Amino acid sequence: MTTIGDFRQARLGWATLLLAGLLLGGCSTQGLEREPSREPPAKTASQSPDRSWGPVMEAVAMAKLYPDGKSVVDLVPKRDPAAIVADFEQLRQREGTIGKARLQAFVDANFDPRPENETRLGEDADTSIEAHIVNLWPYLTRDPAATDEGPWSSLVSLPEPYVVPGGRFNEMFYWDSYFTMLGLARSDRFDLVRDMVGNFAWLIDTYGFVPNGTRTYFLTRSQPPFFAPMVALLAEHDGDDVYRRYLPELMREHHYWMRGADEIGPGEAREHVVELADGTLLNRYHGSENWPRPEAYAAERELAARSDRPAPELYGHLRAAAESGWDFSSRWMADGQHQTTIETRDILPVDLNALLYQLERTLARAWRVQGDAAQAARFEAMAERRQSAINRVFWQQDGGYYTDYDWREGRLTDAISAAMVYPLAFGVADPARADATAATVRRELLRAGGMVTTTRETGEQWDAPNGWAPLQWLAVAGLDRYGHDDLAETIARRWIETNRAVYRQTGKLVEKYDVVDPAVGGGGEYDVVDGFGWTNGVLLDLIHRYPAAAHR
């Protein structure tokens, strides 16, 4: 049984190991020399459009010159943003109110539009879906030397090539990339897997964490921490030395998520860490800042105007939801319906804590490879404490599933969502809980086209009727891990057929799908995106796992 004393001891362990993470690169990492690589100059959050050309960004966003707010912050200044802002202020003083046409002319004179992704390939009409995915990789791959947008762009330059999701997403995203890598591995493109893991390591070394994506406006928040699974995927191919190579970055990733753990008491939170009344330490999404996301500036200003809450509080919860990757979902909303009630920072998500369990297990393995049994044992103990806490705190006994926990109110949220599969995917669950969760997935989430994200239809993209590639893959992996082979194959087969049906109709693979009435998905802040990195990766992996099901 885990006691309060165990968690107090864990606090000391975290403090010691976090310090080791900060110091890593000295005596603690003997033999961990990094191979030389190209080191692009690092951009900073101060170069985000809301800071470097804020008055212009605000005016353009609020005037809605572009239907997608991301188009605004992906504009590329043609000259020093400070000079552009100075000219803009003079124009405003001279003309007073600036009309849309005049504002558009100013933008056209001072900014280049963001480069667009390819949307169509020149392929034969009968090109198989597997061949289509392989053909897409070059179109979605970016060579930093060839795609540098200059010093004033919001794009963060990376040392090595990488794959983008597609459509409006013309940069490398954090959790998307793991699922893209699954397909690259199936395509025997371990060169790109290697390059992308190296890029994520560079981001951790440069910024102390992996940002949401490689844009300056993402440099204040992360995304679901999939760096450890990326390292494990590469190690399966290249060998255990991969763990030793990326041990410094794995430590820094852990430090980022656990920072502040030794500074809080029961019922308190600091950044991503929360301590419950009994001393249990768990994690939440935080998002760092309390003003509108630049890429959704106008929408969030308008939402705040409709809300009776303090605007900074609302913005903080919205940013935390963006950090979760589930932006947006009824999971985060107090009334289960409206963004004005969002409370992401008050929620401990089961999926995040399962990922951090996996990170701690990966660190234990990395330290064993490094030859430090004491450090390996300490991380194993951390992982075991977290496993015990997940199975105790997040388990909905009456319903038989894992859900989220409202730490301020001290209760489960009862949200029925696909996040329940994470403890199965990463081996957190015991057999009884895995069996009950499988029954709940079949009863509550299984649909004609795969697994639905939640049971609620709210118009948000991370709710019904949408299904998403990463969640299908995690469900299949988790159910298969616990012996629920039939349900795993059913989800895989239905998801594959949904992808195939849309491909037959449109020639595209898209970001999300309606799995209730199988079709292209909808909802959310922007039009559905094709490309699409993680859909391609998951589909190719599932086709290889279930070749018979794939061709029914």
Side-chain angles (χ1 to χ4, degrees):
M1 179 177 178
T2 304
T3 67
I4 293 177
D6 292 328
F7 288 108
R8 298 301 182 197
Q9 183 180 10
R11 179 198 301 280
L12 295 175
W14 264 307
T16 302
L17 287 164
L18 296 183
L19 178 60
L22 290 173
L23 296 177
L24 222 51
C27 62
S28 297
T29 55
Q30 184 177 359
L32 298 185
E33 295 82 5
R34 183 75 70 243
E35 294 177 7
S37 64
R38 290 178 285 143
E39 294 290 334
K43 293 184 179 180
T44 66
S46 66
Q47 293 172 276
S48 177
D50 58 322
R51 292 172 166 92
S52 63
W53 44 280
V56 182
M57 188 215 79
E58 179 179 8
V60 174
M62 295 307 292
K64 299 186 178 177
L65 295 188
Y66 301 88
D68 183 351
K70 192 174 186 299
S71 299
V72 178
V73 287
D74 288 354
L75 291 168
V76 182
K78 294 180 180 181
R79 56 195 177 104
D80 187 342
I84 294 175
V85 170
D87 287 351
F88 180 74
E89 297 292 6
Q90 287 183 4
L91 177 66
R92 190 149 53 183
Q93 289 175 9
R94 192 168 59 245
E95 297 189 10
T97 302
I98 302 174
K100 269 194 171 184
R102 185 70 183 92
L103 183 58
Q104 186 67 67
F106 182 88
V107 170
D108 293 343
N110 289 281
F111 296 86
D112 289 321
R114 67 181 184 189
E116 293 295 329
N117 281 310
E118 294 279 355
T119 58
R120 289 301 242 178
L121 302 181
E123 295 178 320
D124 294 337
D126 60 350
T127 300
S128 72
I129 201 166
E130 297 93 330
H132 176 69
I133 292 171
V134 172
N135 293 343
L136 271 170
W137 294 135
Y139 284 83
L140 297 176
T141 300
R142 299 290 175 267
D143 181 347
T147 56
D148 184 9
E149 296 179 4
W152 300 305
S153 163
S154 62
L155 185 67
V156 173
S157 298
L158 294 169
E160 305 297 342
Y162 55 94
V163 176
V164 303
R168 75 198 285 266
F169 302 117
N170 208 4
E171 53 279 309
M172 189 175 76
F173 277 78
Y174 187 4
W175 77 309
D176 294 59
S177 294
Y178 172 69
F179 299 96
T180 300
M181 288 177 191
L182 295 172
L184 291 170
R186 291 296 190 182
S187 306
D188 198 25
R189 290 301 310 271
F190 276 96
D191 57 323
L192 272 174
V193 173
R194 222 169 276 121
D195 285 340
M196 291 174 71
V197 173
N199 282 332
F200 284 112
W202 180 87
L203 288 166
I204 293 171
D205 290 340
T206 302
Y207 298 107
F209 72 106
V210 180
N212 186 143
T214 52
R215 292 279 176 180
T216 54
Y217 51 82
F218 290 143
L219 291 177
T220 57
R221 68 175 188 261
S222 189
Q223 261 196 336
F226 271 88
F227 182 65
M230 292 177 190
V231 170
L233 177 66
L234 184 58
E236 287 176 14
H237 183 269
D238 286 3
D240 277 358
D241 191 60
V242 171
Y243 291 105
R244 186 184 66 84
R245 175 179 173 81
Y246 291 110
L247 176 55
E249 290 79 18
L250 289 165
M251 285 291 290
R252 292 183 186 117
E253 171 96 317
H254 192 261
H255 167 70
Y256 172 75
W257 289 97
M258 296 308 301
R259 191 168 56 203
D262 56 342
E263 300 171 1
I264 56 176
E268 294 179 350
R270 177 71 58 85
E271 297 186 45
H272 296 98
V273 186
V274 176
E275 183 172 339
L276 301 183
D278 67 355
T280 304
L281 286 167
L282 288 165
N283 291 79
R284 64 175 179 171
Y285 289 109
H286 185 251
S288 179
E289 295 181 334
N290 299 311
W291 57 79
R293 291 175 297 146
E295 73 276 18
Y297 187 83
E300 294 193 357
R301 284 278 303 272
E302 291 168 359
L303 184 68
R306 298 196 304 271
S307 171
D308 58 3
R309 303 167 68 184
E313 174 187 302
L314 179 68
Y315 297 144
H317 288 301
L318 291 167
R319 281 179 174 265
E323 188 172 61
S324 79
W326 290 46
D327 43 338
F328 291 95
S329 171
S330 57
R331 280 180 77 188
W332 315 127
M333 299 168 195
D335 69 354
Q337 188 75 27
H338 300 99
Q339 283 191 28
T340 51
T341 70
I342 194 166
E343 55 179 6
T344 322
R345 288 179 176 175
D346 297 345
I347 293 172
L348 300 178
V350 63
D351 43 358
L352 172 60
N353 284 279
L355 280 166
L356 291 172
Y357 166 83
Q358 177 69 7
L359 173 57
E360 287 159 358
R361 289 294 307 274
T362 302
L363 274 164
R365 181 165 185 175
W367 279 113
R368 281 196 300 273
V369 172
Q370 176 64 8
D372 193 325
Q375 291 279 45
R378 295 179 77 174
F379 271 102
E380 283 287 3
M382 284 186 192
E384 288 172 6
R385 283 190 289 268
R386 190 182 294 274
Q387 181 178 26
S388 174
I390 291 171
N391 284 318
R392 177 170 48 82
V393 173
F394 296 104
W395 183 247
Q396 221 299 348
Q397 181 65 43
D398 294 339
Y401 60 93
Y402 292 95
T403 188
D404 303 319
Y405 186 81
D406 187 320
W407 66 272
R408 290 195 184 277
E409 296 191 7
R411 62 170 182 83
L412 291 169
T413 68
D414 290 335
I416 298 175
S417 82
M420 71 175 70
V421 305
Y422 274 73
L424 280 64
F426 295 113
V428 178
D430 57 56
R433 286 181 173 86
D435 291 348
T437 299
T440 303
V441 168
R442 185 183 292 276
R443 182 180 67 252
E444 300 286 350
L445 300 178
L446 185 62
R447 299 289 188 274
M451 186 181 66
V452 76
T453 308
T454 73
T455 56
R456 289 175 171 162
E457 292 198 25
T458 63
E460 301 293 352
Q461 63 176 353
W462 289 87
D463 279 321
N466 285 344
W468 293 78
L471 301 178
Q472 314 300 314
W473 189 90
L474 289 162
V476 170
L479 291 164
D480 183 68
R481 181 174 194 150
Y482 285 87
H484 293 277
D485 312 62
D486 179 64
L487 181 56
E489 182 172 341
T490 296
I491 292 171
R493 175 171 48 80
R494 293 184 184 187
W495 179 254
I496 291 167
E497 182 49 38
T498 297
N499 282 234
R500 285 192 184 281
V502 171
Y503 178 68
R504 286 193 295 266
Q505 295 164 4
T506 68
K508 296 179 179 181
L509 289 162
V510 298
E511 179 191 25
K512 58 195 177 236
Y513 293 83
D514 180 334
V515 296
V516 175
D517 184 13
V520 174
E525 299 177 294
Y526 51 86
D527 292 335
V528 69
V529 177
D530 66 307
F532 190 85
W534 66 14
T535 301
N536 305 346
V538 165
L539 180 58
L540 205 54
D541 187 72
L542 292 180
I543 286 173
H544 277 79
R545 283 174 177 245
Y546 300 99
H551 296 287
R552 286 178 184 172

